[in-house]
Amino acid sequence: MGVETPLRVAIVGYGYWGPNLLRNYMDMPDVWVSWVCDARSAQLRKSSARYPAVPTTGDLDQVLGDPDVDAVVVATPISTHFPIAKAALEAGKHVFVEKPMTADTSQACELVRLANDKDLVLMVGHTFVFSPPVRAVKQIIDSGELGDIYFVATQRVNLGLHQKDVSVVWDLAPHDISILYYWLGEAAESVNTTGRGCIVPSIPDVAFINLRFPSGIVAEIQVSWLSPVKLRRTMVVGSQKMLVYDDTENVEKVKIFDHGVDYKEPEDFGEFQLSYRTGDIISPKIQGTEPLFLEASHFVQCCRTGERPLTDGWAGLRVVASLEAAQASLDAGGVTAALAEKASCEQV
Ligand SMILES: NC(=O)c1ccc[n+]([C@@H]2O[C@H](COP(=O)([O-])OP(=O)(O)OC[C@H]3O[C@@H](n4cnc5c(N)ncnc54)[C@H](O)[C@@H]3O)[C@@H](O)[C@H]2O)c1
């Protein structure tokens, strides 16, 4: 395909999130949206009202059988990601699938293998990996400015919409897990989770997920749909400096604190000494581009060039394996689950 030929994209799933994806693909000059597909006709009417020139259908086979579709963007409920993505790959289409990639690790492995066998792009909607403040934090961590990372603590809570089919772990934690794996360049080796279903007993709406990484870094992720305030705050503590990333801030989303504690060995048999440092607080300037636009542009570029997406099927698989282990731990009352082996397809 020549660079000037538009990439022909179909959006499957036009509920809450699909319209955001459609808007961004419509804004791209080198993309042609061939179809919007949704099982509910009321949703298709909404799409037609907004974009009358984009054809709509309730029939996925019509989309997948259309030779004028190069790529399929899937924004349906989690339980449907696997069958839709699999059918799309089998039909020879590149696939972007919303987070989390699948409902379990074996499905994730199958999609990774299929995309690999067919030489097609498989990308997962880990949107925050494309968010400018998250990118900025990655640069800061990689520059060594924070020193060795000791731990990360993150909160993603608000009075959120209770999902009917998945726990808060599967709904919200994909964001934090994908951010952590991107920042740290490693996946967790073990996880333990406590939580409970406060409103619907069978569907946990609060969870505290503790991760341990091979490097020794530890992390805690708090997720909940039950909170009086909206918090989207992450703290990264290093041996040299500390950082707070607050996504609810309008301007100063990232702040670097020149704070720390230095340990001095005792000179004789006396007690060790600690010296506390509270220096400057710096907030770097961060561009305001919409993460979804950057994510969609990356997918289009990968489809054109065959480049491997930053959030490829393997990245999706690692997150799914972690969610599965986190949920299993929660279900078992907080026992620690190992997960290094789970992220390998050889095991499935
Ligand atoms: N990246 C992000 O920040 C982000 C944010 C919100 C949601 N999401 C993800 O987007 C996905 C969709 O979430 P949502 O909140 O929009 O859900 P939703 O229930 O509001 O919408 C899903 C739509 O898919 C349609 N659908 C279901 N099965 C279908 C099928 N077989 N064929 C065609 N259409 C079908 C439904 O009719 C519905 O309109 C989920 O995976 C969710 O995790 C991602």
Side-chain angles (χ1 to χ4, degrees):
M1 187 189 318
V3 176
E4 59 290 335
T5 313
L7 185 84
R8 297 158 306 180
V9 172
I11 309 285
V12 179
Y14 195 77
Y16 161 65
W17 197 241
N20 294 323
L21 293 165
L22 177 60
R23 172 173 52 77
N24 278 283
Y25 283 99
M26 290 300 286
D27 279 351
M28 270 185 262
D30 51 353
V31 168
W32 181 260
V33 180
S34 308
W35 292 104
V36 168
C37 173
D38 197 288
R40 294 183 293 169
S41 48
Q43 295 309 111
L44 297 179
R45 285 195 292 279
K46 286 183 193 164
S47 166
S48 297
R50 180 76 184 85
Y51 299 103
V54 178
T56 60
T57 178
D59 181 4
L60 181 65
D61 290 340
Q62 192 174 4
V63 173
L64 300 185
D66 182 349
D68 290 337
V69 170
D70 303 308
V72 173
V73 171
V74 183
T76 55
I78 298 167
S79 59
T80 64
H81 288 181
F82 175 67
I84 295 175
K86 184 178 176 204
L89 288 168
E90 281 171 341
K93 317 295 186 194
H94 300 298
V95 169
F96 172 95
V97 59
E98 262 309 329
K99 61 80 194 165
M101 184 163 81
T102 54
D104 67 43
T105 312
S106 59
Q107 293 177 347
C109 284
E110 201 172 327
L111 291 189
V112 167
R113 280 204 202 103
L114 195 54
N116 194 44
D117 290 350
K118 292 197 158 266
D119 205 14
L120 290 165
V121 173
L122 172 61
M123 175 166 160
V124 186
H126 292 312
T127 314
F128 279 94
V129 169
F130 297 89
S131 138
V134 170
R135 290 277 173 103
V137 173
K138 167 80 173 157
Q139 278 181 1
I140 293 162
I141 291 173
D142 286 353
S143 75
E145 185 176 355
L146 304 184
D148 294 333
I149 306 302
Y150 288 145
F151 70 90
V152 182
T154 177
Q155 294 170 304
R156 185 175 301 276
V157 301
N158 63 313
L159 206 55
L161 201 61
H162 277 67
Q163 303 290 321
K164 295 199 172 65
D165 53 347
V166 290
S167 75
V168 73
V169 169
W170 282 86
D171 185 39
L172 296 185
H175 293 310
D176 302 290
I177 294 174
S178 59
I179 291 171
L180 279 174
Y181 290 4
Y182 168 62
W183 280 349
L184 305 178
E186 59 179 341
E189 63 184 8
S190 68
V191 58
N192 68 68
T193 309
T194 51
R196 69 182 289 202
C198 305
I199 304 298
V200 182
S202 60
I203 304 179
D205 47 25
V206 59
F208 306 97
I209 305 168
N210 288 286
L211 301 166
R212 179 172 289 278
F213 291 81
S215 63
I217 296 172
V218 290
E220 189 205 47
I221 299 172
Q222 281 182 28
V223 281
S224 183
W225 300 314
L226 262 189
S227 161
V229 288
K230 177 172 178 165
L231 299 177
R232 297 284 184 267
R233 194 164 50 199
T234 304
M235 196 169 62
V236 183
V237 173
S239 57
Q240 301 297 320
K241 292 185 182 176
M242 305 174 180
L243 175 152
V244 173
Y245 155 46
D246 187 341
D247 209 51
T248 61
E249 285 277 348
N250 282 331
V251 184
E252 296 175 344
K253 285 184 186 288
V254 176
K255 293 195 188 95
I256 304 166
F257 294 72
D258 187 7
H259 293 189
V261 183
D262 295 320
Y263 175 92
K264 287 202 188 80
E265 290 287 351
E267 284 170 11
D268 44 35
F269 293 106
E271 284 194 345
F272 62 79
Q273 299 285 316
L274 296 180
S275 66
Y276 290 78
R277 180 167 39 80
T278 52
D280 291 341
I281 303 167
I282 305 281
S283 182
K285 184 173 162 51
I286 291 169
Q287 55 154 318
T289 319
E290 188 181 1
L292 261 189
F293 187 77
L294 298 172
E295 179 188 73
S297 304
H298 184 62
F299 178 58
V300 170
Q301 186 188 326
C302 291
C303 292
R304 286 192 180 291
T305 62
E307 189 185 315
R308 189 171 159 174
L310 186 58
T311 55
D312 65 358
W314 288 102
L317 166 66
R318 282 192 289 276
V319 172
V320 168
S322 306
L323 294 168
E324 205 170 58
Q327 182 72 47
S329 168
L330 195 162
D331 294 344
V335 296
T336 298
L339 50 73
E341 291 160 23
K342 294 210 72 173
S344 157
C345 281
E346 279 86 38
Q347 304 295 317
V348 206

